[in-house]
Each structure stands twice: as C-alpha cells, then as structure tokens.
Amino acid sequence: MKQPIIILVQTQLAVNIGMCARAMLNCGLSQLRLVKPRDGWPNPDAISPASEAREIIAQAKVFQSVADATADCHQVFAASARVRHLNTPSITPTEAAISIYQHSKKTSHHQAAILFGPEASGLDNEAISLADRLVNYPMNPDYTSLNLAQAVLLFSWEWWKHQLASQSKDESGTEEHSSTIEAQWTPVPKEELHHFMRRLESQLDNAGFFQNPAKKADMLQKLRTLLNRTNPTSQEIRSLQGILSALSK
C-alpha cells in the first residue's frame, strides 16, 4: 500500500519545510514533494527543524508546477481554510484519510497526494483546480488559523490513526464500517487528465470558443475543477479523447 505524498507549494520558509518533515515522520509518512520553494532547494535552514526526519529532507523532490508534482497521482486533495468559488467539494482530514486508505487497499499502485499552500496566502485557485477535493479543518470557528506544520501533522495523524485502526480490524477479523466516501473505482492518473485538458484547450482554441481571451484562464480552471470533481477513470478519459477525435474530423 502506497502512502500519501505531502506536497508543499511555494513554501516561504525552509524552517517550515523541516518542521513539516518532522510531523510527517511522527506519523510514518516519508514522501515529500516541493513546488518552487521561495528560497530555493536544497536549503540548510530546513535541516535542524527536521530533527530525526533529515532523510525526508534529503530525498524531497522539487517540481516547477503543481501539475508536474501530481502527474503520477490518482487522487489529489488540497488543504484550504477558505471556501472557494470553484465548487470543489470539501471534506475533513478524517474523510480524506479514509478515502485514501480504501483506494490504496483496493489497488496497490494507487497514489494519493495532499497539497499545502504558502504560509501567508494558502493555495491559489489554479492549484485548487487540480484537486479532486478540498480538505477543510473543522477548528474553533473563533480561531481557525493553523501554521503549515500543524496542518501537515493533523492530516498525517488522521492517516496514521486510520491505518492502525484498520490493521487492528483486519487482524481481529472485524469488518470495517463503510465510510462516506467509497473506493468503488480507480481514478485516472492526473497526467492523463492533464493531457486531455491540453487537447481540449487546443480544440476549443481552434473552434474560436474563447472569444474573450481575458476569461480563458478562468474558464479552463472551471473545466479542470469539473473533471477533477468527478474522479474519472482511465476508460472514461479514453472515451472523452475519442469524442474529441470524432469532433475534430
């Protein structure tokens, strides 16, 4: 079973990357990806805060975009404190952990990831449009602010807790209760979805669909959100590719 990947997007301080790595190791997670960290990478400022998690820091992979960082993933979650206008469904860290575990248990190659944005601003709409679900933390409504390492730790703890509980149930022969999110199909790898979106954009350009260029980026975000929200399978994406081929003739 593959563990989820923690992806830190445009993190401002290397010390926070180190603290996130330490939080990950507390809960048995080791795969860390970085998207354009502000102060570059590698960065020695991350080493001391990581404590015993220096191996996670050493093996962290750096990407130039969220799309590249999630290309091999079947499920992508985006941690956000705010409700966005893109209509991406919102779930709790507990529900996200259960969903990841169920899909991973069903298919050994299933890969999930969760995005965490910059400390000051969080994830932008472009990054969120690449996610299947938002992960929203139900905190004290009078004070919902979490720092980056806290957010990573809370999600990682939910994953660790559910994995331990599920293993105990498996060992005791107790049937696991159905969650609100069922793993009934294998979502398409994001790279296939990105390829379809690039082809769709090209076809729409050729057809003169984007009559107002200023609104093109917003329309593409909404289309990506729609596709990610439905969690299509590879077969469904191949069917959509066939539809594009037929229409292009």
Side-chain angles (χ1 to χ4, degrees):
M1 180 181 296
K2 288 189 175 182
Q3 60 176 234
I5 298 169
I6 301 296
I7 301 179
L8 305 182
V9 181
Q10 297 179 356
T11 309
Q12 295 166 279
L13 299 175
V15 64
N16 287 334
I17 297 175
M19 293 173 67
C20 288
R22 181 174 181 174
M24 290 168 60
L25 188 61
N26 285 148
C27 301
L29 297 181
S30 60
Q31 295 191 70
L32 176 63
R33 295 182 180 181
L34 307 174
V35 176
K36 297 178 72 172
R38 187 189 68 179
D39 296 334
W41 196 260
N43 192 316
D45 290 343
I47 296 176
S48 179
S51 188
E52 299 300 318
R54 297 183 180 185
E55 190 67 21
I56 295 177
I57 294 296
Q59 295 181 2
K61 298 179 180 179
V62 181
F63 295 83
Q64 291 304 304
S65 70
V66 174
D68 290 341
T70 59
D72 62 338
C73 299
H74 302 85
Q75 269 184 308
V76 176
F77 299 87
S80 177
R82 297 185 293 275
V83 177
R84 305 285 179 147
H85 69 275
L86 292 174
N87 295 323
T88 303
S90 177
I91 60 177
T92 67
T94 302
E95 291 171 325
I98 292 172
S99 179
I100 293 170
Y101 184 85
Q102 288 181 339
H103 278 92
S104 300
K105 187 175 180 181
K106 178 185 174 186
T107 308
S108 60
H109 68 271
H110 180 82
Q111 184 63 74
I114 179 165
L115 308 170
F116 295 89
E119 297 90 326
S121 59
L123 294 166
D124 61 21
N125 285 339
E126 180 70 17
I128 288 178
S129 72
L130 298 171
D132 310 317
R133 299 287 186 271
L134 293 180
V135 175
N136 191 265
Y137 295 77
M139 310 303 294
N140 173 10
D142 294 327
Y143 190 69
T144 60
S145 177
L146 293 172
N147 66 40
L148 181 59
Q150 286 175 323
V152 170
L153 179 59
L154 284 175
F155 168 77
S156 302
W157 163 243
E158 289 294 343
W159 160 258
W160 179 250
K161 179 180 68 175
H162 185 70
Q163 183 176 240
L164 290 179
S166 298
Q167 288 174 351
S168 298
K169 290 173 183 177
D170 290 342
E171 291 169 2
S172 65
T174 304
E175 241 180 76
E176 184 176 352
H177 294 294
S178 297
S179 74
T180 55
I181 303 173
E182 297 294 341
Q184 297 175 345
W185 64 88
T186 301
V188 64
K190 296 302 177 184
E191 177 53 33
E192 292 184 34
L193 205 56
H194 300 334
H195 175 66
F196 172 76
M197 279 299 305
R198 289 191 294 267
R199 193 172 169 213
L200 177 61
E201 179 183 354
S202 176
Q203 295 285 357
L204 292 174
D205 274 329
N206 292 339
F209 177 78
F210 301 110
Q211 296 184 13
N212 186 345
K215 294 184 178 180
K216 177 179 175 179
D218 184 59
M219 175 60 70
L220 290 173
Q221 279 186 4
K222 290 177 179 177
L223 288 172
R224 276 195 299 270
T225 299
L226 170 63
L227 284 172
N228 281 304
R229 189 168 67 233
T230 60
N231 281 330
T233 65
S234 289
Q235 179 58 55
E236 289 167 339
I237 289 297
R238 285 194 292 270
S239 296
L240 290 175
Q241 294 278 23
I243 290 172
L244 285 185
S245 295
L247 291 175
S248 67
K249 295 178 182 178

